[in-house]
Amino acid sequence: MSVPLSILDLAHIGEGESVKDSFDASVELAKHAESWGYERIWYAEHHNMRTIASSATSVLIGHVAANTSTIRLGSGGIMLPNHAPLTIAEQFGTLATLHPGRIDLGLGRAPGSDQQTMRAMRRDPSSADRFPQEVQELQGFLSHESRVPGVIATPGFGTDVPLYILGSSLFGAQLAAALGLPFAFASHFSPDALEQAVAIYRRDFRPSAQLETPYVIAGVNVIASDTEADAQRQFLATKRSRVSLLLGRGRTFTDEEADMLLDAPQGQHILQMTKYTAVGTPSTVKDYLDKFVVHADADELIVASGVGDRKSWLRSYELLAEVSELSRRKAAGVPA
């Protein structure tokens, strides 16, 4: 692999699992990923989703950081319109102080929830319109130049936690370029605008104090297994699980019902979400990712796995690390 590999941990709560089980699995993955040579692990802010446990994102990051030593950890992302920039600066300033050099702050403007949940969070529906200004306000709180007279983030001030703009549209690309920040595109679930967004970002990028040249992280799904048949079985199970998550409204469909929905018009969107998915044996997955790096014009890949079985979930990341030689390269100081 010619670029660094990172992980997006969805903090999934599997069938028959508790929230605590999910947190334990995230710690286990992080410990392994650290030894396997992955660059970073990010966690996403979601709300009112019974199968995702990363809603208190900064708290989960702190827990995983306390149980690991070197791997970078961060948000992929914090949905900034849900929060006051000062609050996020204090949270991530605390994390960066406790775990120096290891904390990333990825920012998005989506709600991470539905309309009713937005109301429960007391979120202003128009808050997304202020996203560019709030990113800059947050940046000021984390640097030595607060944009709010008389207000300093403690902790946070002077920590210079690196910011990343997350997006699945051209807006995020344009903002990241204008502010001179790294850009992470959510092609693992929203693939349509990937090429155009990256092209705009690279074309319009303006150097900043944080970043001199453009830096693109592209999301991609990965299911690696020792056999092709097992990888395809896991992929089918993942698609069926998404049908229940996105269309079930609290109900879990049988396999037969899920397959029927996947074949129906409403299932086509779910299939489109998995457009960028590497499935198969390690060599097959590596070949796919090598091509995807070129296709996405990416400087780094962040991989996600929706596999429900914990053993297979961990094995997928292990096989990818082995075939990518991450551990050997990182130990030798060679770029992944």
Side-chain angles (χ1 to χ4, degrees), residues 1-333:
M1 203 69 60
S2 59
V3 300
L5 284 178
S6 298
I7 293 173
L8 177 64
D9 180 359
L10 301 174
H12 178 67
I13 304 170
E15 185 176 352
E17 288 186 339
S18 66
V19 172
K20 179 63 163 55
D21 292 332
S22 173
F23 293 156
D24 290 345
S26 289
V27 169
E28 183 180 9
L29 172 62
K31 288 180 175 180
H32 283 300
E34 189 169 72
S35 66
W36 292 335
Y38 282 92
E39 184 75 12
R40 71 186 90 233
I41 301 180
W42 281 358
Y43 307 90
E45 177 186 349
H46 292 283
H47 300 281
N48 195 28
M49 299 187 74
R50 297 186 180 186
T51 59
I52 295 180
S54 52
S55 53
T57 315
S58 59
V59 180
L60 179 57
I61 292 169
H63 175 61
V64 177
N67 285 278
T68 51
S69 302
T70 58
I71 193 166
R72 296 193 67 88
L73 300 164
S75 59
I78 288 290
M79 301 298 109
L80 190 56
N82 292 344
H83 312 275
L86 177 60
T87 300
I88 297 303
E90 291 167 343
Q91 291 176 4
F92 279 78
T94 299
L95 289 169
T97 302
L98 292 172
H99 309 283
R102 296 182 57 202
I103 302 301
D104 302 325
L105 178 46
L107 301 167
R109 65 171 182 151
S113 59
D114 55 33
Q115 295 295 317
Q116 187 168 345
T117 307
M118 284 175 58
R119 288 192 290 271
M121 296 176 66
R122 306 297 192 266
R123 172 175 163 157
D124 179 356
S126 66
S127 57
D129 297 337
R130 300 190 296 272
F131 182 63
Q133 293 75 27
E134 293 193 341
V135 170
Q136 292 177 295
E137 184 178 316
L138 174 58
Q139 194 171 35
F141 283 135
L142 292 169
S143 69
H144 290 88
E145 299 178 2
S146 173
R147 290 174 174 262
V148 182
V151 179
I152 294 177
T154 306
F157 178 76
T159 55
D160 292 314
V161 177
L163 303 185
Y164 298 74
I165 298 298
L166 279 59
S168 58
S169 68
L170 306 187
F171 175 86
Q174 293 164 341
L175 179 61
L179 298 181
L181 296 175
F183 178 50
F185 192 87
S187 36
H188 63 292
F189 75 87
S190 185
D192 293 344
L194 171 63
E195 294 171 89
Q196 187 179 5
V198 171
I200 288 173
Y201 169 70
R202 291 194 179 279
R203 182 195 69 196
D204 296 342
F205 180 85
R206 299 176 185 176
S208 68
Q210 179 178 326
L211 193 65
E212 292 185 359
T213 58
Y215 193 85
V216 173
I217 302 175
V220 60
N221 301 292
V222 168
I223 300 176
S225 183
D226 293 287
T227 68
E228 178 70 26
D230 187 60
Q232 292 297 335
R233 178 191 61 78
Q234 293 179 37
F235 187 33
L236 177 58
T238 299
K239 288 185 286 187
R240 287 169 171 168
S241 177
R242 285 201 183 190
V243 169
S244 293
L245 176 65
L246 298 177
L247 301 178
R249 298 181 180 180
R251 175 192 171 192
T252 299
F253 293 113
T254 66
D255 289 349
E256 292 77 11
E257 290 171 333
D259 291 343
M260 288 178 62
L261 285 168
L262 285 170
D263 289 336
Q266 57 264 53
Q268 296 309 299
H269 173 64
I270 294 174
L271 295 176
Q272 178 64 13
M273 289 173 67
T274 63
K275 176 180 178 180
Y276 294 125
T277 302
V279 183
T281 60
S283 59
T284 300
V285 167
K286 182 179 183 300
D287 288 345
Y288 181 98
L289 295 182
D290 285 339
K291 294 174 183 175
F292 180 72
V293 167
V294 177
H295 174 76
D297 195 11
D299 300 291
E300 179 179 332
L301 297 183
I302 187 161
V303 300
S305 173
V307 174
D309 174 65
R310 288 299 183 191
K311 184 176 180 181
S312 299
W313 179 68
L314 280 173
R315 181 60 174 160
S316 183
Y317 289 121
E318 181 182 19
L319 290 172
L320 178 57
E322 288 176 356
V323 77
S324 304
E325 299 181 310
L326 294 181
S327 300
R328 181 186 64 79
R329 288 174 177 268
K330 202 153 193 176

